[in-house]
Amino acid sequence: MDYDDMLDRAVDETPDIEGSSERFEVPSPEIRQEGNATVFENFQSVCDTLGREDEHVMKFLQNELGTNGHIDESGRARLTGEFNQRRIEAAVDEYTETFVICPECGLPDTRLEQDQGVPILRCEACGARSSTSS
C-alpha cells in the first residue's frame, strides 16, 4: 500500500463534520407536573440528541436540581418536586456545555471516555481531550 492509497483510506474513514454547531439543537424539555413530581416527558429524546447514557444525564439532573428521581419504563424522567420548564432547560444546557460541547472547537462531536477513572471528553472533530467535572 503506497502513500496515496493510505491517504485515500484515511480520508474515507474520517467522519464527515459539518464545521458548525448550528446543526446541533437539543429539544426543549417537555415538562408537566404530576402530584409533587415533575415529569420530563421527552427525556429519552433529549438523551438521544445529546448522545449520552440516560443514567448519566439523570444523575447530573438530580445533582443540579438537588432532588431525586428515576427513569420510568417509557423513558420519562420523574423528578421529585416541582420544577418549571426554564429550570430543567437550564440544567440540560449546563449538562450540554459540560459533557457534550468541545471546549476547544465548540462542536458537539464528542464522546465521554474514562481515563484512569476520570471522565474525559474526547472530540472526534478536532481530537482535543479535556477533563470534565463529573
Side-chain angles (χ1 to χ4, degrees):
M1 187 178 273
D2 69 355
Y3 178 77
D4 288 332
D5 291 336
M6 288 188 290
L7 189 58
D8 289 340
R9 184 171 156 218
V11 168
D12 289 342
E13 292 178 6
T14 303
D16 292 330
I17 306 298
E18 295 284 321
S20 167
S21 57
E22 296 299 314
R23 65 189 164 86
F24 181 69
E25 197 168 312
V26 180
S28 292
E30 294 170 11
I31 304 301
R32 70 179 171 83
Q33 299 302 316
E34 194 174 274
N36 80 338
T38 300
V39 180
F40 186 162
E41 293 285 346
N42 62 335
F43 177 72
Q44 196 62 58
S45 171
V46 169
C47 292
D48 292 345
T49 300
L50 294 173
R52 297 295 183 261
E53 296 290 324
D54 53 5
E55 291 295 333
H56 191 260
V57 178
M58 184 64 170
K59 180 180 171 190
F60 181 86
L61 288 177
Q62 289 176 16
N63 290 337
E64 191 70 14
L65 299 171
T67 189
N68 62 8
H70 67 279
I71 302 166
D72 68 18
E73 61 280 347
S74 58
R76 298 176 300 193
R78 301 179 68 80
L79 301 160
T80 303
E82 290 188 29
F83 301 98
N84 65 27
Q85 204 249 343
R86 275 197 321 270
R87 182 73 178 101
I88 302 286
E89 195 165 334
V92 170
D93 288 347
E94 182 65 28
Y95 181 90
T96 304
E97 284 299 314
T98 304
F99 294 104
V100 180
I101 301 296
C102 175
E104 297 298 319
C105 70
L107 292 174
D109 304 300
T110 60
R111 282 201 322 233
L112 267 180
E113 299 177 344
Q114 293 287 325
D115 187 7
Q116 298 177 356
V118 177
I120 299 290
L121 195 63
R122 187 170 72 78
C123 183
E124 295 180 345
C126 73
R129 290 171 49 94
S130 53
S131 64
T132 62
S133 55
S134 58

